[in-house]
Amino acid sequence: MATYLYKLGRFAFRRRHFVALLWVALLTLAGVGAASAPPAGNSSFSIPGTEAQRAFDLLEQRFPGMSADGATARVVFKAPEGQKMTDAGNKAAVEKTVKELGSGSEVASVADPYTGKAVSRDGTIAYASVKYNVSGMELEDSSRDALKESAGHARDAGLTVEIGGDALTTAPETGSSEVIGIAIAAVVLVITFGSLIAAGLPLLTAIIGVGIGVSAITALATPLDLGSTTSTLATMIGLAVGIDYALFIVSRYRAELAEGRDREEAAGRAVGTAGSAVVFAGLTVVIALVGLSVVNIPMLTKMGVAAAGTVAIAVLIALTMIPALLGYAGRTVKPAGEKSKLLGGGRAAKKAGRPNMGTRWASFVVRRPVTVLLLGVVGLGAAAVPAASLELGLPDDGSQPVSTTQRRAYDLLSDGFGPGFNGPLMVVVDAKGSADKKAAFAKVGDEIKGLKDVVTVTPPAPNKAGDTAIITVVPKSQPSSATTEDLVHAIRGKSPSIASATDAKLLVTGATAMNIDVSQKLNDALLPYLALVVGLAFLLLIVVFRSILVPLKAALGFLLSVLAALGAVVAVFQWGWLSGLMNVEQTGPVMSMMPIFMVGVVFGLAMDYEVFLVTRMREAYVHGENPGQAVVTGFRYSARVVTAAAVIMIAVFSGFIGSSEAMIKMIGFGLAIAVFFDAFIVRMAVVPAVLALLGRRAWWLPAWLDRALPNVDVEGEGLRTDSDPDGDRELVSA
């Protein structure tokens, strides 16, 4: 592989005009496609294999036109102090608002509070339910504006009015902190390279790669049913790995220049060595992201595949566009150790001197491996302790900041009707095979009324055919509580006895039940997903490092990083530690998909640093150095650039903490802290300590397996033994 990539790097360097034009053409094509594509709607959210989804599918068949998955809004009214919603003036204002709400073209129905018994017992709070024909993300802006305008008219009449539900759902905003993250990345690159030109190359190529990836996602959003949030993960991951991959190749290029090679040769060798590591690091990330499809949640699958495509683009750009741009940059990119005139006065590299920080640190670890290993493992173990209290759930309006109208509507409904009112359960009774359908409906209602934690059970609402009915159940507890989850399981537990007595089927659905099913599905998929992703990557790393223990150590170190990162997420978002600093206004359960999401993404990113750092160590080892010295050599050449890459990735992920969306904020924080733990504790401390303790055993591989594995030559051994570089030059030209 190293020889092939070497030739590719030299070709891209020499034919830089062609390569640059090709990528610019791809960016333009993707941009034109994105600009001409219709706006992305909300990806159809379905959870195959769950009871909640089967109930929704049944409602689509038996209640045509009901729009079971359509957007909903609850316009909540509160009377002025000392008044009631039943007072004539307040009632007139509400009825006028209800009439306005029903005039929208996308509105399916509006329930009047006074005819639908939607007034609290004390008469101070009432609500009107609005049902739309389309989902929240597909609503036209005009419908949202009409909803807000109608609420404004009621406020003008003296009422307190707030709006809840998913009708106000909009694409999340990341805020200015994302730009700050990119700015920090730029500063780190300038410090690392000592040159504005060299620092600008990784940023430029990463932005181009993300631009192509996100534009392609936008262009394909409608035919592939991609939601507007699909590109968020692609942007986050693509930007981080795009900068890192380019950083490693530019750093190796400067190191090759420092050894006296001409620029074309240096570009070829940089792509042949660091580029090989980039390919395998990118493959681990792609495996982890595409592997999300085993969860069988279409939305998660699409997010993973889209992000994986952006990572693949980042790898291709690093292998081709970086050497092409290095050709354009010429002498403005200095050899390692030299600074530009602007930043360092043009001083030359030092010929000899004090060992760099990476060398000194690695030498210390090699001398004290047990101490470093114990400190690293104990520290990560302490950070992981909060993970034992992990509670999972999906965000609802109760997790919104108190400054939002959705949260204020949620609180008003809780005050007026009880905390469970915000998470009603929809019980669907399929009595098509029952001899006495009305009796079956009544039987279900009576059974549910006898359960604990039930406040209200509405009368059955049958369809036109009379063979299916909907019963709404209001729990006592809030939607995200364990008590409500127990109630859902208790209702479903009645299904066998109902079927035995009436031949009717009972299904529980609704937003609350759907959240419970999603959480369970994600929990059930975690271990199979972990086995698949870690197993495939383990095999890949055996090929890369030609070792059994090194990939095993890499996988165990990753588990430490993930557990510690989950502990930090629990501490901040569930316990509320440092919540003010992170602008977390409402603590609560951790998002259900967070564990499996972090396992996938963090594993891929963790293997990036493993490949880049340990490849240099193996390169030194196979060239004759003893195991301890190989560890030091690997750090001498890689510690600085791996540190810079980690800081850049942390900065990019931290930028998403400023998002207005709780899910994006949590993902940004979780990935940033996971990269910190993995890069600076696991890879920089635990890994060298373990390798120092293992010695030559770290690189042991059974002879039969050594013969069976393909030789991918990540270390570039073939380049060192090549005595005819001119021959390669002619071959590439052909």
Side-chain angles (χ1 to χ4, degrees):
M1 173 178 286
T3 303
Y4 170 77
L5 292 178
Y6 164 78
K7 295 174 182 178
L8 177 64
R10 291 181 61 174
F11 172 80
F13 186 95
R14 190 184 311 114
R15 303 294 174 85
R16 61 188 74 102
H17 302 309
F18 169 75
V19 173
L21 183 61
L22 176 63
W23 283 110
V24 170
L26 288 175
L27 178 62
T28 303
L29 182 64
V32 170
S36 58
N42 190 33
S43 178
S44 54
F45 188 79
S46 62
I47 314 295
T50 62
E51 179 172 319
Q53 185 62 50
R54 292 197 301 272
F56 271 124
D57 295 340
L58 183 65
L59 289 174
E60 291 282 346
Q61 298 173 10
R62 306 286 176 85
F63 290 82
M66 178 183 175
S67 300
D69 59 347
T72 59
R74 278 179 170 175
V75 182
V76 187
F77 308 90
K78 183 179 180 181
E81 192 69 29
Q83 298 183 27
K84 293 189 175 182
M85 292 305 305
T86 51
D87 294 346
N90 295 334
K91 185 175 181 180
V94 170
E95 290 176 339
K96 181 179 179 182
T97 302
V98 169
K99 186 176 180 180
E100 291 179 3
L101 291 171
S103 62
S105 60
E106 294 181 311
V107 175
S109 63
V110 180
D112 188 297
Y114 302 103
T115 59
K117 299 181 180 179
V119 180
S120 63
R121 289 185 179 181
D122 62 4
T124 60
I125 297 173
Y127 69 91
S129 295
V130 186
K131 185 73 175 178
Y132 292 89
N133 294 315
V134 296
S135 64
M137 292 297 292
E138 294 172 322
L139 268 182
E140 297 286 344
D141 289 338
S142 58
S143 295
R144 293 194 184 93
D145 292 340
L147 178 62
K148 296 174 184 177
E149 187 176 342
S150 298
H153 293 161
R155 290 191 187 100
D156 294 340
L159 299 174
T160 298
V161 186
E162 304 295 347
I163 305 171
D166 61 351
L168 295 183
T169 300
T170 56
E173 299 176 359
T174 54
S176 60
S177 55
E178 182 184 349
V179 178
I180 295 173
I182 297 176
I184 293 173
V187 171
V188 172
L189 288 169
V190 171
I191 294 173
T192 302
F193 293 137
S195 165
L196 291 176
I197 298 296
L201 296 183
L203 283 175
L204 176 62
T205 54
I207 291 172
I208 290 175
V210 169
I212 293 174
V214 172
S215 296
I217 292 170
T218 304
L220 297 173
T222 299
L224 298 184
D225 190 27
L226 304 178
S228 59
T229 57
T230 305
S231 61
T232 302
L233 178 61
T235 302
M236 189 185 299
I237 304 298
L239 195 59
V241 301
I243 294 174
D244 277 8
Y245 294 166
L247 166 64
F248 284 110
I249 291 179
V250 174
S251 297
R252 188 60 183 253
Y253 171 76
R254 296 178 72 234
E256 296 292 338
L257 288 179
E259 293 184 10
R261 293 187 173 88
D262 67 65
R263 295 186 177 275
E264 183 178 329
E265 178 71 9
R269 287 180 176 267
V271 175
T273 52
S276 297
V278 164
V279 169
F280 282 99
L283 277 175
T284 60
V285 180
V286 169
I287 287 172
L289 292 170
V290 173
L292 289 170
S293 58
V294 303
V295 183
N296 197 24
I297 295 179
M299 181 188 72
L300 197 58
T301 299
K302 292 170 185 176
M303 289 178 68
V305 172
T310 306
V311 171
I313 293 172
V315 171
L316 293 174
I317 283 184
L319 298 178
T320 57
M321 194 170 187
I322 282 293
L325 294 179
L326 289 172
Y328 284 117
R331 296 184 180 276
T332 58
V333 177
K334 305 293 183 182
E338 291 188 17
K339 304 290 184 181
S340 67
K341 291 183 178 181
L342 177 62
L343 297 174
R347 67 176 182 268
K350 296 179 180 179
K351 297 299 181 182
R354 188 183 181 191
N356 63 22
M357 180 65 74
T359 302
R360 298 198 299 274
W361 169 250
S363 299
F364 170 78
V365 175
V366 169
R367 291 195 305 270
R368 301 282 188 274
V370 175
T371 302
V372 173
L373 179 60
L374 287 176
L375 287 175
V377 172
V378 170
L380 290 172
V385 168
S389 303
L390 178 66
E391 296 178 7
L392 298 177
L394 289 177
D396 56 17
D397 284 349
S399 62
Q400 296 273 9
V402 293
S403 58
T404 62
T405 186
Q406 295 97 319
R407 173 60 187 278
R408 292 195 293 267
Y410 182 98
D411 292 340
L412 284 175
L413 288 172
S414 295
D415 294 340
F417 301 92
F421 195 79
N422 284 291
L425 306 176
M426 185 185 296
V427 178
V428 181
V429 185
D430 180 6
K432 196 168 187 177
S434 178
D436 190 342
K437 297 176 175 52
K438 290 184 178 181
F441 300 152
K443 172 71 172 175
V444 172
D446 292 339
E447 290 282 343
I448 295 174
K449 288 177 183 177
L451 296 174
K452 294 188 298 182
D453 199 50
V454 173
V455 174
T456 304
V457 178
T458 64
N463 61 349
K464 289 184 179 180
D467 58 6
T468 307
I470 298 173
I471 299 174
T472 301
V473 180
V474 178
K476 290 181 182 177
S477 306
Q478 61 184 8
S480 59
S481 69
T483 308
T484 300
E485 183 175 349
D486 291 340
L487 175 61
V488 170
H489 293 314
I491 295 174
R492 288 173 172 171
K494 294 289 184 181
S495 185
S497 61
I498 294 294
S500 176
T502 66
D503 291 325
K505 298 177 182 177
L506 180 155
L507 301 169
V508 183
T509 189
T512 301
M514 181 69 83
N515 288 352
I516 292 170
D517 287 352
V518 170
S519 298
Q520 186 62 50
K521 192 175 183 69
L522 289 167
N523 288 339
D524 293 342
L526 183 58
L527 286 180
Y529 174 69
L530 188 63
L532 173 68
V533 171
V534 175
L536 289 176
F538 182 79
L539 295 176
L540 186 65
L541 292 179
I542 289 177
V543 174
V544 174
F545 296 125
R546 308 194 76 79
S547 164
I548 297 293
L549 295 180
V550 170
L552 180 61
K553 172 263 309 168
L556 293 176
F558 147 74
L559 291 176
L560 280 174
S561 302
V562 168
L563 288 175
L566 278 175
V569 169
V570 169
V572 173
F573 291 90
Q574 187 175 309
W575 292 359
W577 293 5
L578 301 178
S579 58
L581 181 63
M582 299 295 168
N583 196 27
V584 179
E585 296 188 25
Q586 180 65 33
T587 59
V590 173
M591 183 180 60
S592 298
M593 66 177 65
M594 197 66 188
I596 200 166
F597 186 82
M598 287 187 66
V599 164
V601 177
V602 175
F603 181 78
L605 300 180
M607 293 307 102
D608 276 5
Y609 299 117
E610 180 76 13
V611 170
F612 290 126
L613 191 61
V614 180
T615 296
R616 268 291 198 169
M617 297 178 191
R618 174 163 176 80
E619 184 177 344
Y621 177 75
V622 298
H623 293 145
E625 294 187 7
N626 65 59
Q629 185 58 41
V631 171
V632 176
T633 300
F635 268 76
R636 178 186 305 130
Y637 291 111
S638 299
R640 178 182 175 89
V641 69
V642 167
T643 299
V647 172
I648 288 169
M649 197 169 280
I650 291 169
V652 172
F653 289 148
S654 297
F656 289 85
I657 296 176
S659 173
S660 60
E661 179 67 31
M663 180 179 75
I664 302 301
K665 182 190 293 287
M666 189 180 295
I667 290 174
F669 172 79
L671 294 183
I673 198 69
V675 169
F676 173 80
F677 286 145
D678 194 85
F680 293 110
I681 299 181
V682 173
R683 308 303 153 189
M684 290 291 184
V686 174
V687 165
V690 171
L691 291 178
L693 289 171
L694 290 175
R696 295 185 183 278
R697 289 168 294 182
W699 308 108
W700 171 79
L701 187 69
W704 64 269
L705 185 56
D706 188 31
R707 291 190 299 269
L709 291 177
N711 184 11
V712 295
D713 189 20
V714 177
E715 300 83 16
E717 182 65 20
L719 302 183
R720 289 180 176 256
T721 59
D722 188 356
S723 60
D724 185 18
D726 291 334
D728 287 309
R729 188 186 301 264
E730 293 174 5
L731 181 62
V732 172
S733 298

